[in-house]
Amino acid sequence: MPKTMKAAVFVEPGKIELREKTVPEVGPLDALLRITTTTICGTDVHIMKGEYPVAEGLTIGHEPVGVIERLGSGVKGYREGQRVIAGAITPSGWSNACLCGRCSQDGAGTKHGWRPMGGWRFGNTIDGCQAEYVLVPDAMTNLAAVPDNLTDEQVLMCPDIMSTGFSGAESGKVQIGDTVAVFAQGPIGLCATAGAKLMGATTIIAVDRVPERLAIARRLGADHLVDFSKVNPVQEIMRLTDGRGVDVAIEALGAQSTFEGALRVLRPGGTLSSLGVYSTDLTIPYDAFAAGLGDHTIVTTLCPGGKERMRRLMEVIANGRLDLKPLVTHRFKLDQVVEAYDLFSHQRDGVMKVAIVP
């Protein structure tokens, strides 16, 4: 077992660097994973740009697929050498928030048991996954065994992208027969499109301007494709719905334009399900909000985590309900992580998601 490892760390706004760090010590309830595949998330790009603050020297990344290298003395039900994933959200499992079903807002150790975004630890408050090894806290809450018949790339979207995208449809309470609009067809938006389909939506409208993304949206369940570089998306969605509007609008980018568009296409009493990470204030237009009298619901969601969530997502893949392998468009070695960030952050060469391996 080596004493040091390579890790991608945040240095300063605009700079991610590969450094040597000490391999973490394993506490009684922890597990040390040897990373076999990970990826870069749009949130990591926000961190790199300084739009979301983290400590200098923190290892970035929150989407691990790996093998258990060491287990804490108190961890039961797992074995070293076992293939596992852990969610981007790693809740304690015992805080007030967790016991209320809000694991993403885990406040373990706080007076009241709640903390905004407290379940998001990897690459936020503790070292993350873009490294050779990662320490998984509260392992019995967070480790999910990977079925033998699934590859790393098949489950790579489960820790965050698939979980977050599906949660957009779940929080929006999509029902059988609903009409749903999904604004932005990046990886999370595409998973929101797929989630809406699985939940029973019968008309799904995908909004983007990148032909390759719109084509994948069609494969994942979109019935109508709206290229916002060619038409006004609000006007087009209202035309497609004969002026009614949609039951659920999912915002999957984190921008004023997409948030406002999602609000403007809602029918009275509809739900705006927001998945975006916003770096500036949002404005709610008076008319789109019906002066606050339109019975609209606006709900936000942080990626659900924990081992049961991961198990369920892998069941969807294992049983052939969804194939997200096409989202992995580029592959890099960990030694090339700076190059991978450059490609991904500038969205060159049709990149959707990258796979990073040791």
Side-chain angles (χ1 to χ4, degrees):
M1 180 72 193
K3 294 183 178 181
T4 63
M5 64 178 185
K6 297 174 184 176
V9 304
F10 172 76
V11 178
E12 60 187 17
K15 188 174 184 180
I16 297 289
E17 187 174 279
L18 193 66
R19 291 183 177 176
E20 287 284 324
K21 297 186 76 168
T22 302
V23 174
E25 294 290 329
V26 181
L29 297 179
D30 302 332
L32 183 69
L33 296 194
R34 174 173 55 82
I35 297 294
T36 54
T37 309
T38 188
T39 185
I40 298 173
C41 179
T43 305
D44 299 328
V45 175
H46 283 293
I47 290 171
M48 180 190 71
K49 292 179 177 179
E51 295 169 349
Y52 183 90
V54 300
E56 188 276 330
L58 186 78
T59 303
I60 306 304
H62 49 259
E63 298 160 277
V65 183
V67 174
I68 297 173
E69 188 77 15
R70 288 182 181 171
L71 288 171
S73 59
V75 178
K76 309 298 180 185
Y78 300 90
R79 57 178 172 78
E80 293 178 355
Q82 187 175 19
R83 290 179 67 223
V84 293
I85 62 172
I89 302 302
T90 52
S92 65
W94 53 264
S95 71
N96 291 31
C98 289
L99 295 174
C100 288
R102 296 291 182 181
C103 293
S104 300
Q105 313 304 323
D106 182 16
T110 66
K111 181 178 180 180
H112 301 291
W114 296 82
R115 180 185 289 122
M117 302 179 291
W120 174 26
R121 294 191 270 183
F122 287 146
N124 182 24
T125 58
I126 65 174
D127 279 336
C129 311
Q130 291 167 18
E132 292 180 286
Y133 296 91
V134 66
L135 190 71
V136 179
D138 299 298
M140 289 186 290
T141 301
N142 292 299
L143 292 182
V146 177
D148 292 339
N149 62 327
L150 296 181
T151 67
D152 279 16
E153 289 194 6
Q154 282 180 288
V155 301
L156 181 58
M157 301 300 120
C158 294
D160 183 0
I161 301 304
M162 186 180 177
S163 187
T164 301
F166 277 22
S167 73
E170 291 165 316
S171 295
K173 294 181 169 56
V174 172
Q175 300 181 63
I176 293 171
D178 270 355
T179 296
V180 177
V182 183
F183 282 76
Q185 294 295 306
I188 286 177
L190 288 167
C191 288
T193 295
K197 182 74 170 181
L198 286 170
M199 291 186 71
T202 49
T203 303
I204 300 173
I205 305 166
V207 182
D208 207 286
R209 65 177 178 182
V210 180
E212 294 81 5
R213 295 186 175 196
L214 289 170
I216 295 175
R218 175 78 78 186
R219 290 168 55 186
L220 294 180
D223 301 285
H224 301 282
L225 307 178
V226 175
D227 183 341
F228 69 82
S229 70
K230 297 179 180 178
V231 297
N232 180 304
V234 173
Q235 293 177 0
E236 181 65 7
I237 290 170
M238 296 308 289
R239 185 190 70 80
L240 289 168
T241 60
D242 196 26
R244 174 185 182 273
V246 303
D247 300 289
V248 180
I250 301 173
E251 196 287 318
L253 181 63
Q256 175 68 35
S257 60
T258 47
F259 180 88
E260 184 172 330
L263 185 60
R264 288 189 179 281
V265 301
L266 280 183
R267 64 159 170 80
T271 299
L272 192 165
S273 181
S274 170
L275 297 174
V277 178
Y278 302 95
S279 54
T280 60
D281 290 343
L282 287 172
T283 300
I284 297 179
Y286 170 88
D287 60 332
F289 198 46
L293 303 175
D295 286 335
H296 297 116
T297 298
I298 299 175
V299 59
T300 65
T301 308
L302 176 59
C303 169
K307 66 182 181 183
E308 174 61 7
R309 176 70 170 184
M310 297 300 104
R311 184 197 67 80
R312 287 175 175 269
L313 296 178
M314 287 190 287
E315 282 290 306
V316 173
I317 296 169
N319 287 285
R321 298 298 191 271
L322 185 60
D323 179 12
L324 295 176
K325 293 194 302 296
L327 270 61
V328 180
T329 55
H330 294 72
R331 294 159 180 83
F332 293 87
K333 293 286 189 180
L334 182 59
D335 287 341
Q336 301 170 300
V337 69
V338 174
E339 178 184 341
Y341 264 95
D342 185 66
L343 173 79
F344 187 73
S345 64
H346 290 96
Q347 289 293 290
R348 295 197 309 269
D349 194 29
V351 65
M352 287 287 293
K353 290 287 284 185
V354 301
I356 298 174
V357 299

